[in-house]
Amino acid sequence: MPPRAPTGTRDLLWPESWRFEEAAARFRALVEPAGYGLIQSPVFEYSWVFRRGIGEENDVVGKEMYEFADRDGQMLALRPEGTASVVRAYLQHRPGLPWKAWYLAPLLRHERPQAARYRQHHQLGIEALGVADADLDVEVIWVAHAYFATLGLADYSLRIGSMGDAACRPAYLVDVRAFFEAHRGELCDEHRERFRANPMRVFDCKRPECRAVTSAAPKLVDHLCVECAAHFARVREGLGSLGVAFEIDPRLVRGFDYYTRTTFEFASGAIEAAQNALCGGGRYDGLVEMLGGPPTPGVGFGMGIERVLVACDGEGVFRVDPPALDAFVVDVAGGDAARAITARLRKAGLASDRAFDGRSMKAQMKLADRSGAAVALIVGPAESAAGTVLVRPLRSGGDQEPVPIAAVVDAVRDAVAGASGRGAPGQSSPGEGAPGREGRR
RNA sequence: GUGGGCGUAGCUCAGUUGGUUAGAGCGCCAGGUUGUGGCCCUGGAGGUCGGGGGUUCAAGUCCCCUCGCUCACCCCA
């Protein structure tokens, strides 16, 4: 048996890896001009950073976190989610507020893998600290929405809710607990006792018993304090004014303890698998304090790149291919020319590759063809003696022509310009792959 | 952590009631084309049939265990 990547992880090979990077590049192109700066933080933290932020009761901390003592006995954990790390970095460096950051980070959780779920996945995210204004909630949600639009996604829905805050949630929790207590017998086996620890979980349960009970239960969105209700209203108005469609979901319960007020989730309708959440986020006005800082509001989201790409496949959009090579050098006259010419082309900024090992011309031409290059540059004994190169178009009709070595760069540029007149490589073109679909090897 | 499905060449898969040297297509390499790719033709390389144990004269085919993949639950992106 050949070696394998660990369970739940995978290798992304070219050209899929290019598409992944391109998706990230588009996110960056959207978010940086909106005032978000990239933050790179470590893939592991002291365990308490996540334990305090996410909550000990949560499965992500309780049974999914990769946690270990290092050689010095420090308890460390591989990052299972993005927000806590960013907030820890904020507290360490204290950049001026408001602080808006974006990230692309691998996240690790020891889950049982299934369709669109991995032990290592990657999230694009933004976090904004120091602003309580509901308009920032709107901006954050809008960013995710706008990003989907740049990819061409259309089949998705946005649900929003509110978790209240310290002023209204505790009183509400007393009410629901009492309600569930009264209807305890009607809850499913799992939640008959568990509702005491975390009553909000019951709203998330998919079993019909629980759903029947929760549909009649008091809803947090109906019991918000004046401030939270006003905040929630303003978020709804803001989204409406930007034309972002949403629905209010009183059952929307985000799993992490740090959420307050606004919560939201985007789900795709184009993912066949059970896991169709593309992006989840919300406001976390208490998190900075939980990690030992001063009261500081925050909002953000995390978006799973793998799932976004599955959604793109489902909708048949964002079908991008890496740019093809410009030239491939075929040398059957010893190899000196191949070395010199590829160097010359690359110095001039032309994408080029060549064959090695002194293979036959037929073999080299095959490689040239597979490389997707616009032209093959052929050097045989005759060309070598004459100081010329045969420029042979590969993707379009046209005859091959001898060109003096000094003019090779210009000749390739001309050939490439002629060949790419009908749509440059790397563009999104639904239904049809760009030239060079096979990619480089 | 729980449950279902599946593991035969690099890839996608055949393989009859267990029966001789395990096949195909694609891909790869070489030749047909003594200097030219994509099409076609010919040939070649490549397999501990996931691994271990058992039943049997005989196991890719049956039984057990194990590992892995996959889908779903829990939870999450």
Side-chain angles (χ1 to χ4, degrees):
Chain A
M1 274 282 94
R4 296 189 122 281
T7 298
T9 68
R10 58 177 192 160
D11 303 307
L12 257 199
L13 271 48
W14 191 269
E16 286 72 29
S17 55
W18 189 86
R19 186 180 186 226
F20 181 102
E21 292 294 321
E22 182 65 11
R26 299 218 181 165
F27 188 80
R28 174 183 201 149
L30 169 69
V31 116
E32 285 187 346
Y36 295 80
L38 175 66
I39 173 170
Q40 298 182 326
S41 63
V43 284
F44 60 89
E45 297 276 349
Y46 295 119
S47 296
W48 63 263
V49 171
F50 302 120
R51 291 187 164 279
R52 296 247 279 265
I54 300 173
E56 302 280 347
E57 298 302 317
N58 191 281
D59 279 0
V60 169
V61 160
K63 56 184 215 188
E64 294 173 359
M65 198 156 72
Y66 282 100
E67 193 173 24
F68 57 96
D70 74 0
R71 287 163 185 280
D72 302 319
Q74 304 266 29
M75 285 311 291
L76 301 174
L78 303 184
R79 169 175 53 204
E81 67 94 37
T83 305
S85 296
V86 173
V87 169
R88 188 233 84 221
Y90 165 72
L91 287 173
Q92 181 172 340
H93 305 285
R94 288 298 181 97
L97 294 175
W99 185 52
K100 305 207 299 188
W102 76 274
Y103 61 83
L104 161 57
L107 266 39
L108 300 110
R109 297 177 198 164
H110 188 107
E111 301 182 277
R112 209 50 194 278
Q114 70 186 68
R117 162 197 273 167
Y118 305 92
R119 285 191 176 172
Q120 172 172 337
H121 77 284
H122 302 261
Q123 286 188 14
L124 290 164
I126 59 177
E127 310 291 350
L129 298 179
V131 174
D133 192 339
D135 234 19
L136 183 58
D137 305 35
V138 173
E139 172 176 298
V140 164
I141 294 171
W142 176 85
V143 164
H145 178 263
Y147 178 61
F148 294 147
T150 71
L151 297 179
L153 287 173
D155 185 7
Y156 60 86
S157 59
L158 165 63
R159 292 175 299 135
I160 65 171
S162 177
M163 304 279 288
D165 65 7
C168 49
R169 192 158 20 156
Y172 166 77
L173 289 178
V174 170
D175 288 353
V176 250
R177 272 207 192 85
F179 180 87
F180 288 145
E181 192 69 55
H183 297 264
R184 201 157 78 86
E186 301 160 42
L187 293 170
C188 78
D189 297 344
E190 198 185 328
H191 292 286
R192 201 160 299 147
E193 296 304 328
R194 266 215 334 179
F195 79 88
R196 294 203 177 90
N198 193 347
M200 301 301 286
R201 271 271 154 275
V202 184
F203 285 96
D204 227 12
C205 184
K206 286 168 192 148
R207 292 177 177 282
E209 310 93 279
C210 281
R211 296 198 74 94
V213 176
T214 51
S215 63
K219 305 292 189 300
L220 179 45
V221 282
D222 299 326
H223 291 73
L224 297 174
C225 61
V226 189
E227 291 76 16
C228 285
H231 187 96
F232 192 38
R234 181 140 178 81
V235 170
R236 298 190 319 254
E237 287 162 18
L239 290 174
S241 78
L242 290 178
V244 178
F246 64 88
E247 73 185 52
I248 296 170
D249 184 357
R251 327 180 75 101
L252 179 62
V253 175
R254 306 248 85 230
F256 301 145
D257 280 2
Y258 52 66
Y259 283 115
T260 57
R261 293 192 168 173
T262 313
T263 56
F264 62 92
E265 183 173 306
F266 286 86
S268 171
I271 295 181
E272 295 296 324
Q275 308 304 327
N276 65 353
L278 298 175
C279 172
R283 182 163 275 282
Y284 43 87
D285 292 344
L287 178 56
V288 177
E289 279 179 278
M290 286 185 211
L291 294 183
T296 310
V299 221
F301 69 68
M303 175 155 40
I305 301 182
E306 286 83 355
R307 282 191 194 168
V308 167
L309 291 177
V310 170
C312 287
D313 290 338
E315 293 197 40
V317 299
F318 193 56
R319 297 209 183 151
V320 293
D321 287 298
L325 290 181
D326 297 317
F328 192 96
V329 182
V330 171
D331 181 347
V332 285
D336 289 343
R339 190 191 319 114
I341 292 170
T342 37
R344 182 190 285 259
L345 292 169
R346 288 168 179 169
K347 212 176 293 177
L350 289 165
S352 46
D353 199 0
R354 51 162 292 195
F356 294 92
D357 287 334
R359 301 241 258 153
S360 71
M361 177 174 278
K362 180 169 179 156
Q364 293 194 39
M365 285 302 294
K366 267 188 145 167
L367 292 177
D369 185 49
R370 272 185 245 147
S371 76
V375 298
L377 301 179
I378 305 170
V379 180
E383 290 73 24
S384 184
T388 62
V389 174
L390 278 180
V391 179
R392 178 181 175 83
L394 293 174
R395 327 303 306 172
S396 60
D399 296 326
Q400 59 187 26
E401 309 221 345
V403 167
I405 287 197
V408 165
V409 168
D410 287 335
V412 172
R413 283 215 177 98
D414 289 348
V416 169
S420 63
R422 256 187 348 117
Q427 295 283 318
S428 177
S429 52
E432 182 196 351
R437 155 184 15 187
E438 327 257 345
R440 294 172 226 166
R441 319 288 313 250

